[in-house]
Amino acid sequence: ERAVLAAMAACAPAGVRLDFAAKVAGFEETAALEALQELFARSLVVELDRKTRRYRLHPLVREAAAPTEAVRKRQAEETLQALEGWERSPLSAAEYLEEADQAVGSGAGGPLTSGNIATRAGNLAGRLGRLSLGYDFHQRAEQISAKAGRQDWLQADYGNQALILKAWGRLDEAMALLQKQEAICEQLGDRAGLQASYGNQALILKAWGRLDEAM
């Protein structure tokens, strides 16, 4: 019961599905369900949706559960796994955006895991039309990349933010980020990143009517 409680405390505060919490705790869902029944009997968990087995903890219970760094790390790893291949079913993957926010906030998975989660969650949110959320995730990915000193990650973060700024019509800001991306890619010899930057810059130049430069 304590292990399941700690796992739930490491997950998103708005609520977590039991099957996901069970993975974080390292249990099969059946075993986790038995533990949950005891916790529910003691009023330590709140049922949000019986059909999907979604539950949450009271803030004071979350604080008392005090998940370890290892549990928080498993939450981040499971979140990254849940977001893998989100393109195949964006609507199904959307329920893990709250877990992504929790994982990136804790930073327990380390820069690589946290950065990948932020990038995947940002791209997913953008696909769902939740551009503000997507932009926020990409900004957090940028902060992780800068802190880790990873220029190769940073150029992709600039490109992802620029696409959202372009969708908002903030073309000057988008172009500035794309030029930053271009400079990094030239420095790294990243031709794939460079062609993406050139392509997106050309679209903005075209929108501005500067067709010769776009060409």
Side-chain angles (χ1 to χ4, degrees):
E1 291 85 356
R2 291 181 180 179
V4 171
L5 198 65
M8 294 179 71
C11 295
V16 58
R17 286 172 57 123
L18 180 62
D19 56 352
F20 185 82
K23 291 178 181 178
V24 175
F27 295 151
E28 295 293 333
E29 186 176 1
T30 302
L33 181 59
E34 293 177 2
L36 182 77
Q37 290 172 344
E38 181 66 22
L39 296 172
F40 188 75
R42 297 182 183 184
S43 300
L44 294 175
V45 299
V46 178
E47 184 179 72
L48 299 176
D49 190 323
R50 180 169 298 182
K51 183 177 180 180
T52 61
R53 291 180 177 171
R54 186 175 176 86
Y55 303 87
R56 69 172 176 83
L57 302 179
H58 186 279
L60 293 178
V61 176
R62 287 181 64 85
E63 184 177 350
T68 64
E69 189 74 4
V71 174
R72 293 186 185 279
K73 182 179 179 181
R74 286 201 299 272
Q75 186 271 344
E77 291 169 346
E78 291 297 336
T79 299
L80 183 61
Q81 181 67 29
L83 290 175
E84 184 177 354
W86 63 265
E87 299 94 336
R88 293 190 294 272
S89 183
L91 292 178
S92 297
E95 67 177 288
Y96 295 105
L97 287 172
E98 291 177 349
E99 294 298 338
D101 179 64
Q102 182 75 3
V104 174
S106 76
L112 179 59
T113 298
S114 296
N116 278 329
I117 290 172
T119 298
R120 291 181 185 181
N123 290 336
L124 170 59
R127 176 72 64 84
L128 295 171
R130 300 171 64 179
L131 299 186
S132 294
L133 180 61
Y135 190 69
D136 179 66
F137 271 121
H138 289 312
Q139 284 190 312
R140 293 164 76 179
E142 176 191 344
Q143 293 167 3
I144 293 168
S145 301
K147 187 174 181 180
R150 293 295 301 262
Q151 293 290 95
D152 52 336
W153 300 353
L154 194 60
Q155 65 85 12
D157 300 329
Y158 287 150
N160 288 328
Q161 290 178 58
L163 290 177
I164 294 178
L165 288 169
K166 179 178 176 293
W168 282 336
R170 293 161 59 178
L171 302 186
D172 288 334
E173 295 172 75
M175 179 61 84
L177 287 181
L178 290 171
Q179 289 172 341
K180 285 186 177 183
Q181 182 187 33
E182 176 188 351
I184 293 174
C185 289
E186 286 182 338
Q187 179 184 353
L188 297 177
D190 182 353
R191 298 183 66 81
L194 196 60
Q195 70 86 15
S197 178
Y198 284 158
N200 288 319
Q201 288 184 55
L203 292 175
I204 293 175
L205 290 166
K206 178 176 180 289
W208 283 338
R210 293 158 59 178
L211 302 187
D212 289 338
E213 294 173 74
M215 180 59 75

